């Protein structure tokens, strides 16, 4: 099955195009039908370029290519933003509170949570207690090292910052909360960690004790000797 042309193939054809030649026309004649959906246009749009010189075709093809790349980039950015936001919700819902520590799923923390490159930092808000902020690029570097090497990775938050342990605690890293530059304050992903709800157990009032009913001698005898 012949390979479907890609946007990279079109970019390569544009770089090789020369004035007073019809290399782009020949390229579109062979690949135009399959290239059209890749560019997000109708095949007729590309057929009108066939037979024309490269210098006449190239600017319009470059504009189509640029428009398509930007559209795909916007779709990708939106997808990564949704993925990171979803990971923030799952990270909060799966957090485990033990004493003064809040244990987090390290695979979410160092994986999908970091998907959106538009986030400058990740802020962990422990409601009514404390906050820890970490630069996203720094966490990406940490993920590149830790997730490849350690299967028993453990992560938690406390008032001192973000902590990682592996090899049953023999290896570890501790990171304190970082300040965020004012220019970056609007570009962060926020994870809100609610403390577990403690419900008071109310016990029903004890039933009043019934007065003891004395047994007759005959009943007692039957119970002992039957």
């Amino acid at each position: 099955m012949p390979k479907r042309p890609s946007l990279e193939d079109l970019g390569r054809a544009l770089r090789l195009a020369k004035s007073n030649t019809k290399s782009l026309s020949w390229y579109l004649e062979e690949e135009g039908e399959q290239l059209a959906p890749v560019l997000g246009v109708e095949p007729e749009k590309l057929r009108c370029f066939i037979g024309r010189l490269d210098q006449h075709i190239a600017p319009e093809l470059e504009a189509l290519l640029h428009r398509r790349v930007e559209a795909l980039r916007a779709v990708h950015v939106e997808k990564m933003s949704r993925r990171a936001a979803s990971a923030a919700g799952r990270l909060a819902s799966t957090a485990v509170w033990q004493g003064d520590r809040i244990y987090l799923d390290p695979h979410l923390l160092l994986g999908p949570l970091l998907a959106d490159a538009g986030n400058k930092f990740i802020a962990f808000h422990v409601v009514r207690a404390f906050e820890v902020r970490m630069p996203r690029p720094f966490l990406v570097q940490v993920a590149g090292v830790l997730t490849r090497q350690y299967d028993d990775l453990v992560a938690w938050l406390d008032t001192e910052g973000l902590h990682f342990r592996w090899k049953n605690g023999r290896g570890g890293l501790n990171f304190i909360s970082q300040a965020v530059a004012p220019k970056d304050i609007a570009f962060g992903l926020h994870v809100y960690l609610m403390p577990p709800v403690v419900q008071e157990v109310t016990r029903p009032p004890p039933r009043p004790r019934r007065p003891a009913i004395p047994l007759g001698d005959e009943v007692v005898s039957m119970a002992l000797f039957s």
Side-chain angles (χ1 to χ4, degrees):
M1 185 176 179
K3 178 185 175 183
R4 186 178 185 180
S6 65
L7 297 179
E8 290 78 10
D9 295 332
L10 177 57
R12 192 177 304 110
L14 284 166
R15 289 192 296 272
L16 295 175
K18 297 180 180 179
S19 300
N20 299 318
T21 66
K22 294 184 178 180
S23 62
L24 291 175
S25 174
W26 300 330
Y27 175 72
L28 293 177
E29 196 169 0
E30 291 184 3
E31 307 287 0
E33 290 293 325
Q34 295 188 55
L35 182 62
V38 178
L39 274 174
V41 300
E42 295 296 327
E44 291 76 11
K45 179 69 175 179
L46 300 183
R47 290 196 197 105
C48 70
F49 296 141
I50 295 175
R52 298 167 59 185
L53 294 173
D54 286 358
Q55 63 264 34
H56 299 150
I57 301 174
E60 295 187 63
L61 281 178
E62 286 176 351
L64 290 176
L65 177 60
H66 177 74
R67 190 180 306 130
R68 185 60 170 170
V69 168
E70 289 302 311
L72 292 175
R73 181 179 291 117
V75 170
H76 177 73
V77 168
E78 177 63 23
K79 179 180 178 181
M80 293 300 101
S81 177
R82 290 197 305 268
R83 185 182 183 195
S86 174
R90 285 184 287 146
L91 192 68
S93 65
T94 57
V96 176
W97 296 62
Q98 290 187 6
D100 60 351
R101 294 180 178 182
I102 307 167
Y103 286 88
L104 305 175
D105 183 335
H107 301 291
L108 284 173
L109 174 63
L110 298 179
L113 190 72
L114 307 177
D116 187 357
N119 291 324
K120 302 294 185 181
F121 65 93
I122 311 294
F124 304 93
H125 303 269
V126 183
V127 179
R128 299 187 299 275
F130 61 91
E131 180 180 331
V132 174
R133 294 183 178 184
M134 300 300 300
R136 177 191 168 275
F138 176 72
L139 288 178
V140 170
Q141 293 181 357
V142 172
V145 175
L146 296 186
T147 56
R148 287 200 304 263
Q149 297 186 18
Y150 307 109
D151 296 329
D152 63 341
L153 191 61
V154 177
W156 77 84
L157 290 167
D158 60 19
T159 55
E160 296 180 355
L162 177 62
H163 310 270
F164 295 95
R165 294 291 184 273
W166 57 88
K167 291 186 178 179
N168 294 321
R170 293 195 300 274
L173 291 171
N174 302 306
F175 302 114
I176 62 173
S177 181
Q178 301 295 304
V180 176
K183 64 182 178 65
D184 294 333
I185 201 67
F187 303 98
L189 177 62
H190 299 266
V191 182
Y192 294 93
L193 299 160
M194 299 293 294
V197 177
V198 179
Q199 296 182 344
E200 294 185 3
V201 179
T202 58
R203 296 181 178 178
R207 295 180 178 179
R209 297 183 63 182
R210 295 180 178 179
I213 301 176
L215 299 177
D217 293 340
E218 184 179 356
V219 176
V220 173
S221 298
M222 290 176 61
L224 291 175
F225 303 107
S226 60

